[in-house]
Amino acid sequence: QVQLAESGGGSVQAGGSLRLSCEASGDMYAFNCVSWFRQYPGKERKGLAGILTGAGVTYYDDSVRGRFTISQDFAQNLVFLQMNALSPEDTAMYYCAAAKYCYLHLPREYPYWGRGTQVNVSA
């Protein structure tokens, strides 16, 4: 069993930055990848970034590459998403999820999910 908890969301002005955190607990052998997704109301969840926690290899969706950065503190079971140059289009619920591999285009492959943290970006 794995539990994930996001934090760090909030309200910022366009052009600002936020750093989201995801803390994992439970069976650390049950997953190899932690990824960040976001969801607009009425839309499917979209994969943004993922990290293989053992190797530190990272993956990004083209829509956020160069603007968002995923990283980890392996010893503390923490995964971060640094978000820079935010715009109102980044307003969404942000989730972290864990799976055997980083399937950014396949959210159904992730058995473990956090409850989400809301990000609001105003113009």
Side-chain angles (χ1 to χ4, degrees):
Q1 188 64 257
V2 175
Q3 296 81 44
L4 303 172
E6 305 95 338
S7 62
S11 298
V12 297
Q13 290 186 323
S17 298
L18 284 174
R19 189 178 76 158
L20 306 182
S21 298
C22 174
E23 183 173 5
S25 60
D27 183 6
M28 297 297 101
Y29 294 96
F31 62 93
N32 301 305
C33 173
V34 175
S35 299
W36 286 96
F37 292 76
R38 71 181 176 193
Q39 186 173 30
Y40 303 138
K43 301 292 186 178
E44 295 183 349
R45 295 183 183 184
K46 178 182 175 66
L48 305 176
I51 184 167
L52 296 175
T53 57
V57 178
T58 59
Y59 304 87
Y60 294 95
D61 184 79
D62 288 341
S63 66
V64 301
R65 190 185 307 274
R67 190 164 62 94
F68 290 6
T69 302
I70 190 169
S71 62
Q72 69 174 335
D73 183 338
F74 183 83
Q76 297 294 320
N77 298 324
L78 292 171
V79 175
F80 307 102
L81 185 68
Q82 178 68 44
M83 305 187 295
N84 298 326
L86 289 166
S87 74
E89 294 183 355
D90 296 312
T91 294
M93 185 72 76
Y94 286 72
Y95 299 87
C96 67
K100 298 298 291 184
Y101 198 72
C102 295
Y103 305 98
L104 292 183
H105 298 284
L106 299 171
R108 289 187 177 90
E109 295 292 329
Y110 288 76
Y112 310 111
W113 291 84
R115 294 182 178 181
T117 185
Q118 181 69 37
V119 171
N120 294 304
V121 184
S122 62

